Amino acid sequence: MQETIARRVTGVSGIAAAAAFILEVPLYFVYSGPPPDSNVLARLLIGILALGFLMVFMTALRELIKNVRPDMEWAGTLAFTSGLAYAIVTLTSSGLEAGAVIATDRAIDPTITVNGTYILYGSISRMLLAMFLAATAYAISRTGLMPRWTHRTAYVLAGVNLAFMPSLFFGNTPAHFYAANGWGTTALMGALLSYWLLAFAIATYRSAAQHERLAGPGTVTPTAAR
């Protein structure tokens, strides 16, 4: 994949994933009690689409890193692998929630009722996202293919995700900030990822035109960090 194309695919897929995540998160706060099935299934469907776009984003990002610095392919692969694992874990959690909602004949809050998702959405996802963000930050900092703020903010977010890993010791009340399925552990971390991803993807997409002007179509050269 040519570098310019890789930048565009990374940007477009990242923007689509971020937009879907941003649309999904507020749906968790519409109802104070058990939400209707339509609300739960709608937010899960949006999340599933977002994760599909995220997998495209991670694949294109790995190709971009490999094109710019072949010796950094291992970091791109680590980012891809941990990001893919995150997507699979979250899709599994979504499937468990959707199955519980479809099977029951009354309104339930799957963030409480489906206890198998507590640490899938929480501690496990936090660990996988920390790996993805740290590997991405390292690869970006070493290749210089994006502005410095992209890898610096990724390192910060990786640290914040790690800080939420012990939340599994603090109960299962979604209204609590720091709990296995608390709003800080899940919704806040998802929102932070969404807005970082949106900013990163926009910067990547815009860099494609700049790279094409400077290097010419089909040329693979690193872009200096700005």
Side-chain angles (χ1 to χ4, degrees), residues 27-36 39-40 43 107-112 174:
L27 295 179
Y28 282 85
F29 300 95
V30 174
Y31 300 93
S32 57
N39 171 271
V40 177
R43 72 196 189 196
I108 62 171
D109 185 348
T111 62
I112 301 174

Side-chain angles (χ1 to χ4, degrees), residues 27-225:
L27 295 179
Y28 282 85
F29 300 95
V30 174
Y31 300 93
S32 57
D37 292 359
S38 58
N39 171 271
V40 177
L41 296 177
R43 72 196 189 196
L44 290 175
L45 179 59
I46 294 170
I48 290 168
L49 291 173
L51 291 165
F53 287 124
L54 185 64
M55 287 189 282
V56 177
F57 167 83
M58 293 179 298
T59 302
L61 180 62
R62 180 180 63 173
E63 290 298 308
L64 178 57
I65 293 168
K66 182 175 69 174
N67 282 348
V68 174
R69 281 280 299 274
D71 60 314
M72 283 290 105
E73 183 179 359
W74 68 269
T77 299
L78 178 59
F80 168 78
T81 303
S82 54
L84 180 62
Y86 166 76
I88 292 172
V89 165
T90 308
L91 286 169
T92 301
S93 301
S94 299
L96 291 172
E97 283 196 7
V101 169
I102 293 170
T104 189
D105 57 358
R106 58 186 176 83
I108 62 171
D109 185 348
T111 62
I112 301 174
T113 306
V114 187
N115 51 30
T117 66
Y118 290 171
I119 69 167
L120 291 178
Y121 279 134
S123 298
I124 293 175
S125 291
R126 302 288 70 77
M127 182 271 291
L128 292 171
L129 272 182
M131 290 180 62
F132 165 72
L133 289 163
T136 299
Y138 180 77
I140 296 300
S141 66
R142 299 292 291 180
T143 58
L145 59 85
M146 293 294 292
R148 290 186 179 90
W149 66 262
T150 56
H151 70 259
R152 290 175 177 172
T153 52
Y155 276 131
V156 171
L157 284 180
V160 173
N161 274 273
L162 287 177
F164 275 89
M165 284 187 63
S167 61
L168 77 169
F169 291 104
F170 294 89
N172 65 329
T173 303
H176 292 173
F177 176 76
Y178 198 85
N181 57 341
W183 66 269
T185 309
T186 56
L188 177 62
M189 290 297 96
L192 291 177
L193 173 68
S194 302
Y195 287 107
W196 176 85
L197 179 62
L198 180 62
F200 181 92
I202 290 173
T204 306
Y205 183 81
R206 293 178 63 183
S207 72
Q210 180 183 14
H211 173 267
E212 193 167 31
R213 287 197 304 270
L214 295 176
T219 304
V220 178
T221 57
T223 301

